[in-house]
Amino acid sequence: MRYSGLAMAFVSAWCFAFSGPMAKYLNAAGLAPIEAVWTRMAGAGLLMVAVLAVVKPSALRIPRSRLPFFGVYAVVAVAGVQSLYFAALTRLPVGIALLLEYMAPVMVVVWVRFVRKIRLARSAYLGAVVAVVGLGIVVEVWDGLRLDALGLLLALVAGACCAGYFLMSDSFGDDVDPLGLIAWGMLGAAVVLVPFARPWGIPWEAFTRLATPEGGGLTLPAFAAYLWMVLVATVAAYILGVNAVRRLSAAVGATVASLEVIGGAVVAWALVGEALGAFQILGGLLVLSGALLAQTAASRGGAPAPAGEPVPTAEAEARLSLDRASG
């Protein structure tokens, strides 16, 4: 089961990697970031609910006690991550936005230690420090933060929401079907974003245009970019990602998902002509290395407990939370 989970997490990361580049095409076609997010969530949510209603209607049943969980999942793990990330893309290159968003693994470590009260090995904290140093190199702090300050903030808050996605994905019990959670989460996110996206004012004719991202790159039909974003970068990515975390843990799942940074940079280079500079590449490697070190330590478990007081590992604690939720 662990190897199948790792494989799912790996493929999910590469599916998610298309999100940013495809969003660039929709922006070039005339959609604002929030409009692109809304059409993505609404399209993916409606598609999943329609398919599940036919092939697995039981997945759409929500236990009454789980309604608050579904609501928070829709707002934080779906609407928050996607809307803030897409907004950051208007001010930052895809690779930089992803690097900032993937401070999420370090945030997961902090949550596990200080909220779940699980002691971690020193290497977890060392990894966090390495990741922060790498982040400083990415944004070139010695040169007065040359990147857009608002874009940096948006991407980091998206990272906090992304950390919530991983933590929530490993904390629900068997009374919740992952497919139903994803479907209702996407539709819920679309509902939450209605006042901001104002779908009645979306320029729907944009989907009929050919689009070339600002700064160059390949020219693609906007509707083709939208379909790829919905089917691959949303439906497939979320289904694989949530099921991967269920087989692994928030810690391990977040680590493998960090590959989206590499995938996003590669896809952005191939499609929209964006390339990272030397400092961004070096800093990005440090961010990923630090996140890997921190999360590997979290998944192995914590420091020795005082005599007679066992300390659960991150994975053991996740299993206990599942047992509590399903019992």
Side-chain angles (χ1 to χ4, degrees):
M1 179 174 287
R2 183 176 181 83
Y3 290 113
S4 64
L6 289 171
M8 287 182 179
F10 178 83
V11 178
S12 173
W14 281 89
C15 289
F16 272 124
F18 284 91
S19 298
M22 294 302 104
K24 293 276 189 179
Y25 280 100
L26 295 185
N27 295 157
L31 268 66
I34 193 64
E35 294 172 339
V37 173
W38 189 87
T39 56
R40 177 189 188 185
M41 295 297 100
L46 288 172
L47 174 64
M48 286 198 66
V49 168
V51 172
L52 288 175
V54 174
V55 302
K56 194 180 181 183
S58 61
L60 297 175
R61 300 193 187 106
I62 306 175
R64 183 173 299 178
S65 62
R66 290 295 191 174
L67 285 174
F69 179 85
F70 273 71
V72 174
Y73 187 88
V75 173
V76 175
V78 184
V81 175
Q82 300 304 327
S83 59
L84 292 168
Y85 171 56
F86 275 36
L89 286 178
T90 64
R91 296 173 173 272
L92 299 172
V94 172
I96 300 298
L98 279 173
L99 281 171
L100 294 167
E101 182 183 347
Y102 270 91
M103 288 298 288
V106 175
M107 298 176 191
V108 170
V109 168
V110 173
W111 183 275
V112 167
R113 174 63 185 93
F114 293 103
V115 178
R116 293 186 175 177
K117 306 295 184 183
I118 300 174
R119 299 182 193 175
L120 303 173
R122 291 182 180 178
S123 54
Y125 307 108
L126 175 61
V129 172
V130 171
V132 172
V133 171
L135 179 61
I137 295 176
V138 168
V139 301
E140 299 182 39
V141 293
W142 60 85
D143 201 18
L145 292 175
R146 296 175 61 185
L147 296 176
D148 183 89
L150 180 57
L152 295 176
L153 178 61
L154 290 170
L156 286 172
V157 178
C161 292
C162 185
Y165 159 74
F166 288 111
L167 290 164
M168 295 180 71
S169 293
D170 85 337
S171 64
F172 60 88
D174 294 334
D175 59 335
V176 174
D177 190 298
L179 293 176
L181 176 64
I182 297 166
W184 289 125
M186 289 177 183
L187 271 187
V191 171
V192 169
L193 294 174
V194 163
F196 307 98
R198 299 167 60 87
W200 52 86
I202 291 177
W204 297 101
E205 66 277 7
F207 292 98
T208 66
R209 300 170 182 160
L210 292 176
T212 304
E214 183 180 355
L218 298 179
T219 298
L220 295 177
F223 189 66
Y226 172 73
L227 285 180
W228 190 267
M229 183 165 65
V230 167
L231 297 176
V232 176
T234 308
V235 174
Y238 269 96
I239 290 175
L240 291 169
V242 170
N243 281 283
V245 173
R246 301 292 289 166
R247 286 167 169 75
L248 303 168
S249 69
V252 179
T255 300
V256 181
S258 298
L259 290 172
E260 183 187 345
V261 177
I262 299 173
V266 171
V267 174
W269 168 75
L271 293 181
V272 302
E274 291 184 353
L276 300 180
F279 285 122
Q280 279 69 50
I281 294 174
L282 173 61
L285 291 174
L286 284 175
V287 169
L288 293 178
S289 299
L292 177 61
L293 181 61
Q295 292 295 352
T296 302
S299 65
R300 283 201 308 264
E309 184 184 337
V311 176
T313 65
E315 291 184 350
E317 192 276 346
R319 287 193 292 272
L320 285 173
S321 65
L322 290 177
D323 292 339
R324 288 194 296 269
S326 59

